[in-house]
């Protein structure tokens, strides 16, 4: 059951909620649109284009697109954290929309509950970077990561 605080959202709180609603829905709407139109070239990873090394977020857009198509297996293959982040964005968007509709702050959301219980978030970053390291190792081990990043930088800026 959803419980709301007694105080009405201030104008500043409403504006911040609208901003966060835009930030949480943009990847979800983008994933659905990109399935029909394709990913625009300006959304290619600049880190990968420059260095030849995939960044920690490479594959998230394709993972989100796979989830929007209903293909969870492909989404997990593209990026392990894709379905988790897609779900987090969806839940956050729903709760923010409810707060805006009602005009009051929810007393308890899954995010506030987790934040109160887990006061140190460093370990989530460590897990994510560990996964990134495993992805790089896998690419190197399978031969898919054959580009010398230093050579690519030298030729790009010469």
């Amino acid at each position: 059951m959803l419980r709301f605080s007694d105080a009405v959202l201030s104008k500043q709180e409403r504006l911040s909620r609208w901003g966060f609603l835009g930030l949480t829905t943009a990847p979800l709407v983008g994933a659905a649109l990109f399935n029909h139109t394709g990913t625009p070239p300006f959304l290619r990873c600049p880190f990968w284009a420059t260095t030849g090394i995939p960044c920690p977020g490479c594959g998230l857009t394709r993972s989100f697109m796979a989830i929007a198509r209903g293909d969870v297996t492909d989404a997990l293959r593209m990026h392990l954290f894709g379905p988790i982040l897609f779900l987090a964005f969806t839940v956050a968007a729903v709760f923010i929309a409810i707060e805006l509709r009602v005009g009051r702050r929810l007393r308890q959301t899954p995010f506030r509950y987790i934040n109160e219980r887990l006061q140190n978030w460093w370990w989530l970053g460590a897990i994510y970077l560990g996964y990134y390291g495993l992805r790089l190792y896998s690419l190197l081990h399978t031969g898919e990561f054959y580009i010398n990043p230093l050579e690519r930088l030298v030729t790009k800026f010469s």
Side-chain angles (χ1 to χ4, degrees):
M1 179 175 191
L2 297 176
R3 287 183 260 159
F4 298 93
S5 68
D6 294 332
V8 176
L9 289 176
S10 69
K11 184 176 181 177
Q12 181 64 31
E13 288 173 321
R14 281 188 171 280
L15 285 174
S16 78
R17 297 293 192 287
W18 278 110
F20 281 119
L21 186 62
L23 288 173
T24 56
T25 56
L28 306 175
V29 171
L33 289 176
F34 295 160
N35 275 322
H36 298 289
T37 62
T39 307
F42 64 86
L43 286 181
R44 304 279 188 238
C45 179
F47 186 79
W48 182 75
T50 305
T51 64
I53 303 169
C55 76
C58 279
L60 278 174
T61 301
R62 288 172 287 162
S63 180
F64 276 31
M65 289 170 61
I67 294 169
R69 286 191 308 270
D71 191 354
V72 178
T73 305
D74 197 30
L76 288 169
R77 189 177 58 78
M78 296 294 177
H79 200 290
L80 185 65
F81 285 89
I84 297 166
L85 290 173
F86 192 89
L87 179 65
F89 279 123
T90 304
V91 170
V94 167
F95 280 119
I96 292 168
I98 290 171
E99 284 183 339
L100 283 168
R101 177 74 175 125
V102 174
R104 299 180 188 280
R105 184 177 189 214
L106 283 166
R107 286 189 184 168
Q108 195 65 24
T109 67
F111 302 106
R112 288 190 188 114
Y113 178 80
I114 291 169
N115 196 30
E116 290 169 3
R117 301 294 183 258
L118 310 171
Q119 298 190 355
N120 293 323
W121 288 81
W122 65 267
W123 60 273
L124 284 175
I127 290 171
Y128 193 82
L129 288 177
Y131 169 68
Y132 174 60
L134 288 173
R135 286 180 68 200
L136 289 179
Y137 176 77
S138 172
L139 289 173
L140 186 64
H141 186 68
T142 60
E144 293 178 56
F145 185 51
Y146 58 90
I147 299 170
N148 181 352
L150 295 177
E151 179 183 314
R152 189 164 183 166
L153 280 173
V154 170
T155 58
K156 189 161 192 101
F157 295 110
S158 311

